[in-house]
Amino acid sequence: QVQLVQSGAEVKKPGASVKVSCQASGYTLIDFYLNWVRQAPGQGLEWMGWINPNSGDTNFAQKFQGWVTMTRDTAISTAYMEVRRLKSDDTAVYYCARGDALRWNSASGTYSGQTEGFDIWGQGTMVTVSS
Amino acid sequence: QSVLTQPPSASGTPGQRVTISCSGRSSNIGKNTVNWYQQLPGTAPKLLIYSNNLRPSGVPDRFSGSKSGTSASLAISGLQSEDEADYYCAAWDDSLNGYVFGTGTKVTVL
């Protein structure tokens, strides 16, 4: 079935980096946007950004620009999200989530943006930042 | 912080109808469609409503969504114990060039 499977829990010290993986199965990774969302303990959902797995293009929420990177390895249908310079308030569950199907707009020479919701979610990866 | 505002809690007895509001701005709900997510305790969110009022396959028709201007709402009719969860609205925001979630509403079945 269609699913996203994420890597396991991580414990990191402040200042370190963490890289979370998200493997797609049951569909072709490069056919859909892939988003990342995090949730701090007891808090709400926070969108971090997306990657276009076909082109590698990314877009981040302003607060994550410069210290979060999103990449992919299409050969193994896997997307990655790396957070650098971890702080204690980065402790959260990190989710990957499938977005809209990628549609090429030949008139503009770009991919159409996302307009809908996230229909498939990974199980989440708990990242704990503690000294 | 969240750009979309929801009441922190809502409750009802089994069989009742519960409504959750979601207030936004012209740059998000005013221009784009609204999605709703259900998050059961300890699990990943699940898409409940998309494009304001459409249900993905498998979502019971007890759940319905609507939108008017810069606000949206989710209604749960015939409330059941398994509906006890956190509910989040969300929409794309043209000014922020990103996706914004609501503050979340915890639904309790009394």
Side-chain angles (χ1 to χ4, degrees), chain B residues 4-36:
Chain B
L4 307 181
T5 303
Q6 300 177 232
S9 63
S11 63
T13 56
Q16 276 191 327
R17 175 184 171 94
V18 169
T19 302
I20 301 168
S21 62
C22 174
S23 178
R25 305 172 185 168
S26 59
S27 59
N28 42 62
I29 294 178
K31 285 186 178 179
N32 298 302
T33 60
V34 177
N35 309 299
W36 289 90

mmCIF file of all heavy atoms in Angstrom, chain B residues 4-36:
data_model
loop_
_atom_site.group_PDB
_atom_site.id
_atom_site.type_symbol
_atom_site.label_atom_id
_atom_site.label_comp_id
_atom_site.label_asym_id
_atom_site.label_seq_id
_atom_site.Cartn_x
_atom_site.Cartn_y
_atom_site.Cartn_z
ATOM 1 N N LEU B 4 -3.730 30.411 11.889
ATOM 2 C CA LEU B 4 -5.158 30.127 11.893
ATOM 3 C C LEU B 4 -5.615 29.863 13.325
ATOM 4 O O LEU B 4 -4.975 29.103 14.057
ATOM 5 C CB LEU B 4 -5.455 28.911 11.001
ATOM 6 C CG LEU B 4 -4.917 28.986 9.574
ATOM 7 C CD1 LEU B 4 -5.303 27.732 8.799
ATOM 8 C CD2 LEU B 4 -5.419 30.232 8.862
ATOM 9 N N THR B 5 -6.730 30.465 13.719
ATOM 10 C CA THR B 5 -7.189 30.398 15.110
ATOM 11 C C THR B 5 -8.359 29.437 15.266
ATOM 12 O O THR B 5 -9.369 29.552 14.555
ATOM 13 C CB THR B 5 -7.595 31.790 15.602
ATOM 14 O OG1 THR B 5 -6.483 32.682 15.461
ATOM 15 C CG2 THR B 5 -8.006 31.743 17.070
ATOM 16 N N GLN B 6 -8.218 28.515 16.204
ATOM 17 C CA GLN B 6 -9.273 27.558 16.543
ATOM 18 C C GLN B 6 -9.543 27.634 18.038
ATOM 19 O O GLN B 6 -8.660 28.005 18.812
ATOM 20 C CB GLN B 6 -8.843 26.126 16.215
ATOM 21 C CG GLN B 6 -8.504 25.848 14.785
ATOM 22 C CD GLN B 6 -8.022 24.413 14.605
ATOM 23 O OE1 GLN B 6 -6.956 24.189 14.020
ATOM 24 N NE2 GLN B 6 -8.796 23.449 15.089
ATOM 25 N N PRO B 7 -10.756 27.230 18.470
ATOM 26 C CA PRO B 7 -10.995 27.116 19.916
ATOM 27 C C PRO B 7 -10.147 25.972 20.466
ATOM 28 O O PRO B 7 -9.954 24.965 19.788
ATOM 29 C CB PRO B 7 -12.489 26.805 20.000
ATOM 30 C CG PRO B 7 -12.818 26.182 18.681
ATOM 31 C CD PRO B 7 -11.922 26.838 17.679
ATOM 32 N N PRO B 8 -9.615 26.104 21.671
ATOM 33 C CA PRO B 8 -8.755 25.049 22.206
ATOM 34 C C PRO B 8 -9.473 23.737 22.488
ATOM 35 O O PRO B 8 -8.850 22.682 22.450
ATOM 36 C CB PRO B 8 -8.197 25.644 23.504
ATOM 37 C CG PRO B 8 -9.101 26.767 23.838
ATOM 38 C CD PRO B 8 -9.671 27.277 22.562
ATOM 39 N N SER B 9 -10.771 23.795 22.758
ATOM 40 C CA SER B 9 -11.474 22.570 23.089
ATOM 41 C C SER B 9 -12.924 22.622 22.632
ATOM 42 O O SER B 9 -13.496 23.704 22.417
ATOM 43 C CB SER B 9 -11.420 22.321 24.596
ATOM 44 O OG SER B 9 -12.087 23.358 25.294
ATOM 45 N N ALA B 10 -13.484 21.439 22.485
ATOM 46 C CA ALA B 10 -14.900 21.265 22.165
ATOM 47 C C ALA B 10 -15.305 19.912 22.732
ATOM 48 O O ALA B 10 -14.478 19.001 22.860
ATOM 49 C CB ALA B 10 -15.143 21.318 20.668
ATOM 50 N N SER B 11 -16.567 19.790 23.076
ATOM 51 C CA SER B 11 -17.006 18.512 23.647
ATOM 52 C C SER B 11 -18.470 18.259 23.333
ATOM 53 O O SER B 11 -19.225 19.182 22.982
ATOM 54 C CB SER B 11 -16.774 18.495 25.158
ATOM 55 O OG SER B 11 -17.551 19.496 25.786
ATOM 56 N N GLY B 12 -18.865 17.012 23.499
ATOM 57 C CA GLY B 12 -20.247 16.631 23.288
ATOM 58 C C GLY B 12 -20.466 15.211 23.752
ATOM 59 O O GLY B 12 -19.508 14.459 23.991
ATOM 60 N N THR B 13 -21.711 14.844 23.881
ATOM 61 C CA THR B 13 -22.051 13.474 24.257
ATOM 62 C C THR B 13 -22.227 12.642 22.992
ATOM 63 O O THR B 13 -22.425 13.198 21.897
ATOM 64 C CB THR B 13 -23.342 13.443 25.083
ATOM 65 O OG1 THR B 13 -24.391 14.081 24.322
ATOM 66 C CG2 THR B 13 -23.167 14.202 26.399
ATOM 67 N N PRO B 14 -22.152 11.339 23.124
ATOM 68 C CA PRO B 14 -22.316 10.487 21.935
ATOM 69 C C PRO B 14 -23.619 10.792 21.203
ATOM 70 O O PRO B 14 -24.679 10.938 21.827
ATOM 71 C CB PRO B 14 -22.317 9.073 22.526
ATOM 72 C CG PRO B 14 -21.469 9.195 23.740
ATOM 73 C CD PRO B 14 -21.797 10.549 24.317
ATOM 74 N N GLY B 15 -23.513 10.917 19.889
ATOM 75 C CA GLY B 15 -24.680 11.205 19.075
ATOM 76 C C GLY B 15 -24.896 12.674 18.793
ATOM 77 O O GLY B 15 -25.630 13.033 17.864
ATOM 78 N N GLN B 16 -24.278 13.542 19.591
ATOM 79 C CA GLN B 16 -24.437 14.977 19.383
ATOM 80 C C GLN B 16 -23.652 15.468 18.176
ATOM 81 O O GLN B 16 -22.823 14.749 17.617
ATOM 82 C CB GLN B 16 -23.978 15.746 20.633
ATOM 83 C CG GLN B 16 -25.017 15.880 21.717
ATOM 84 C CD GLN B 16 -24.588 16.879 22.791
ATOM 85 O OE1 GLN B 16 -23.395 17.011 23.098
ATOM 86 N NE2 GLN B 16 -25.563 17.563 23.383
ATOM 87 N N ARG B 17 -23.914 16.723 17.815
ATOM 88 C CA ARG B 17 -23.182 17.383 16.734
ATOM 89 C C ARG B 17 -22.224 18.397 17.348
ATOM 90 O O ARG B 17 -22.610 19.180 18.219
ATOM 91 C CB ARG B 17 -24.156 18.077 15.792
ATOM 92 C CG ARG B 17 -23.509 18.906 14.681
ATOM 93 C CD ARG B 17 -24.592 19.611 13.872
ATOM 94 N NE ARG B 17 -24.065 20.580 12.934
ATOM 95 C CZ ARG B 17 -23.798 20.314 11.670
ATOM 96 N NH1 ARG B 17 -23.982 19.091 11.186
ATOM 97 N NH2 ARG B 17 -23.329 21.264 10.865
ATOM 98 N N VAL B 18 -20.983 18.360 16.911
ATOM 99 C CA VAL B 18 -19.961 19.287 17.395
ATOM 100 C C VAL B 18 -19.417 20.055 16.201
ATOM 101 O O VAL B 18 -19.165 19.473 15.140
ATOM 102 C CB VAL B 18 -18.826 18.516 18.102
ATOM 103 C CG1 VAL B 18 -17.636 19.438 18.359
ATOM 104 C CG2 VAL B 18 -19.315 17.911 19.401
ATOM 105 N N THR B 19 -19.216 21.352 16.388
ATOM 106 C CA THR B 19 -18.670 22.191 15.328
ATOM 107 C C THR B 19 -17.399 22.886 15.811
ATOM 108 O O THR B 19 -17.358 23.382 16.938
ATOM 109 C CB THR B 19 -19.686 23.250 14.874
ATOM 110 O OG1 THR B 19 -20.870 22.601 14.418
ATOM 111 C CG2 THR B 19 -19.129 24.091 13.743
ATOM 112 N N ILE B 20 -16.386 22.905 14.961
ATOM 113 C CA ILE B 20 -15.105 23.551 15.272
ATOM 114 C C ILE B 20 -14.875 24.660 14.249
ATOM 115 O O ILE B 20 -14.965 24.412 13.036
ATOM 116 C CB ILE B 20 -13.943 22.549 15.197
ATOM 117 C CG1 ILE B 20 -14.160 21.394 16.173
ATOM 118 C CG2 ILE B 20 -12.616 23.246 15.472
ATOM 119 C CD1 ILE B 20 -13.205 20.231 15.957
ATOM 120 N N SER B 21 -14.563 25.856 14.737
ATOM 121 C CA SER B 21 -14.324 26.976 13.841
ATOM 122 C C SER B 21 -12.833 27.160 13.580
ATOM 123 O O SER B 21 -11.980 26.708 14.357
ATOM 124 C CB SER B 21 -14.904 28.261 14.431
ATOM 125 O OG SER B 21 -14.255 28.549 15.668
ATOM 126 N N CYS B 22 -12.530 27.848 12.482
ATOM 127 C CA CYS B 22 -11.145 28.118 12.088
ATOM 128 C C CYS B 22 -11.128 29.498 11.426
ATOM 129 O O CYS B 22 -11.752 29.689 10.381
ATOM 130 C CB CYS B 22 -10.658 27.044 11.121
ATOM 131 S SG CYS B 22 -9.009 27.333 10.422
ATOM 132 N N SER B 23 -10.441 30.435 12.054
ATOM 133 C CA SER B 23 -10.424 31.804 11.545
ATOM 134 C C SER B 23 -9.062 32.144 10.962
ATOM 135 O O SER B 23 -8.028 31.930 11.603
ATOM 136 C CB SER B 23 -10.762 32.765 12.683
ATOM 137 O OG SER B 23 -10.702 34.106 12.241
ATOM 138 N N GLY B 24 -9.079 32.689 9.752
ATOM 139 C CA GLY B 24 -7.826 33.021 9.079
ATOM 140 C C GLY B 24 -7.836 34.421 8.497
ATOM 141 O O GLY B 24 -8.460 35.322 9.059
ATOM 142 N N ARG B 25 -7.114 34.578 7.395
ATOM 143 C CA ARG B 25 -6.971 35.879 6.751
ATOM 144 C C ARG B 25 -7.229 35.765 5.264
ATOM 145 O O ARG B 25 -7.359 34.656 4.729
ATOM 146 C CB ARG B 25 -5.540 36.399 6.970
ATOM 147 C CG ARG B 25 -5.070 36.475 8.387
ATOM 148 C CD ARG B 25 -3.596 36.800 8.455
ATOM 149 N NE ARG B 25 -3.096 36.765 9.831
ATOM 150 C CZ ARG B 25 -1.801 36.780 10.150
ATOM 151 N NH1 ARG B 25 -0.881 36.853 9.200
ATOM 152 N NH2 ARG B 25 -1.440 36.748 11.416
ATOM 153 N N SER B 26 -7.224 36.908 4.609
ATOM 154 C CA SER B 26 -7.463 36.916 3.174
ATOM 155 C C SER B 26 -6.364 36.173 2.419
ATOM 156 O O SER B 26 -6.601 35.614 1.352
ATOM 157 C CB SER B 26 -7.560 38.352 2.655
ATOM 158 O OG SER B 26 -6.368 39.069 2.938
ATOM 159 N N SER B 27 -5.143 36.161 2.955
ATOM 160 C CA SER B 27 -4.018 35.536 2.262
ATOM 161 C C SER B 27 -4.030 34.017 2.353
ATOM 162 O O SER B 27 -3.339 33.341 1.582
ATOM 163 C CB SER B 27 -2.693 36.057 2.820
ATOM 164 O OG SER B 27 -2.592 35.787 4.210
ATOM 165 N N ASN B 28 -4.785 33.455 3.296
ATOM 166 C CA ASN B 28 -4.825 31.994 3.404
ATOM 167 C C ASN B 28 -6.239 31.473 3.109
ATOM 168 O O ASN B 28 -6.553 31.131 1.970
ATOM 169 C CB ASN B 28 -4.281 31.501 4.744
ATOM 170 C CG ASN B 28 -4.733 32.315 5.957
ATOM 171 O OD1 ASN B 28 -5.931 32.384 6.244
ATOM 172 N ND2 ASN B 28 -3.794 32.925 6.656
ATOM 173 N N ILE B 29 -7.097 31.445 4.093
ATOM 174 C CA ILE B 29 -8.443 30.906 3.867
ATOM 175 C C ILE B 29 -9.200 31.729 2.832
ATOM 176 O O ILE B 29 -9.986 31.195 2.042
ATOM 177 C CB ILE B 29 -9.219 30.829 5.196
ATOM 178 C CG1 ILE B 29 -8.567 29.810 6.132
ATOM 179 C CG2 ILE B 29 -10.683 30.451 4.941
ATOM 180 C CD1 ILE B 29 -9.236 29.692 7.501
ATOM 181 N N GLY B 30 -8.964 33.038 2.821
ATOM 182 C CA GLY B 30 -9.681 33.900 1.871
ATOM 183 C C GLY B 30 -9.370 33.588 0.413
ATOM 184 O O GLY B 30 -10.190 33.854 -0.460
ATOM 185 N N LYS B 31 -8.189 33.030 0.147
ATOM 186 C CA LYS B 31 -7.795 32.779 -1.236
ATOM 187 C C LYS B 31 -7.627 31.304 -1.579
ATOM 188 O O LYS B 31 -7.636 30.937 -2.757
ATOM 189 C CB LYS B 31 -6.462 33.475 -1.532
ATOM 190 C CG LYS B 31 -6.552 34.968 -1.707
ATOM 191 C CD LYS B 31 -5.211 35.537 -2.135
ATOM 192 C CE LYS B 31 -5.296 37.039 -2.365
ATOM 193 N NZ LYS B 31 -3.993 37.609 -2.761
ATOM 194 N N ASN B 32 -7.445 30.473 -0.579
ATOM 195 C CA ASN B 32 -7.131 29.064 -0.837
ATOM 196 C C ASN B 32 -8.093 28.134 -0.106
ATOM 197 O O ASN B 32 -8.808 28.550 0.801
ATOM 198 C CB ASN B 32 -5.698 28.783 -0.402
ATOM 199 C CG ASN B 32 -4.695 29.618 -1.185
ATOM 200 O OD1 ASN B 32 -4.641 29.556 -2.410
ATOM 201 N ND2 ASN B 32 -3.898 30.404 -0.471
ATOM 202 N N THR B 33 -8.061 26.876 -0.509
ATOM 203 C CA THR B 33 -8.972 25.915 0.105
ATOM 204 C C THR B 33 -8.450 25.486 1.477
ATOM 205 O O THR B 33 -7.266 25.620 1.788
ATOM 206 C CB THR B 33 -9.152 24.685 -0.790
ATOM 207 O OG1 THR B 33 -7.876 24.061 -0.997
ATOM 208 C CG2 THR B 33 -9.732 25.083 -2.135
ATOM 209 N N VAL B 34 -9.369 24.968 2.271
ATOM 210 C CA VAL B 34 -9.067 24.582 3.649
ATOM 211 C C VAL B 34 -9.049 23.056 3.769
ATOM 212 O O VAL B 34 -9.878 22.359 3.164
ATOM 213 C CB VAL B 34 -10.118 25.165 4.621
ATOM 214 C CG1 VAL B 34 -9.836 24.694 6.058
ATOM 215 C CG2 VAL B 34 -10.092 26.692 4.543
ATOM 216 N N ASN B 35 -8.097 22.581 4.540
ATOM 217 C CA ASN B 35 -8.008 21.161 4.841
ATOM 218 C C ASN B 35 -8.140 20.953 6.349
ATOM 219 O O ASN B 35 -7.807 21.844 7.140
ATOM 220 C CB ASN B 35 -6.652 20.610 4.382
ATOM 221 C CG ASN B 35 -6.345 20.960 2.942
ATOM 222 O OD1 ASN B 35 -7.064 20.587 2.028
ATOM 223 N ND2 ASN B 35 -5.260 21.696 2.733
ATOM 224 N N TRP B 36 -8.634 19.808 6.727
ATOM 225 C CA TRP B 36 -8.756 19.458 8.142
ATOM 226 C C TRP B 36 -8.061 18.125 8.395
ATOM 227 O O TRP B 36 -8.140 17.210 7.578
ATOM 228 C CB TRP B 36 -10.228 19.336 8.533
ATOM 229 C CG TRP B 36 -10.954 20.644 8.576
ATOM 230 C CD1 TRP B 36 -11.628 21.250 7.554
ATOM 231 C CD2 TRP B 36 -11.095 21.506 9.706
ATOM 232 N NE1 TRP B 36 -12.163 22.448 7.971
ATOM 233 C CE2 TRP B 36 -11.858 22.620 9.293
ATOM 234 C CE3 TRP B 36 -10.659 21.447 11.035
ATOM 235 C CZ2 TRP B 36 -12.186 23.671 10.158
ATOM 236 C CZ3 TRP B 36 -10.985 22.478 11.901
ATOM 237 C CH2 TRP B 36 -11.751 23.579 11.456
#
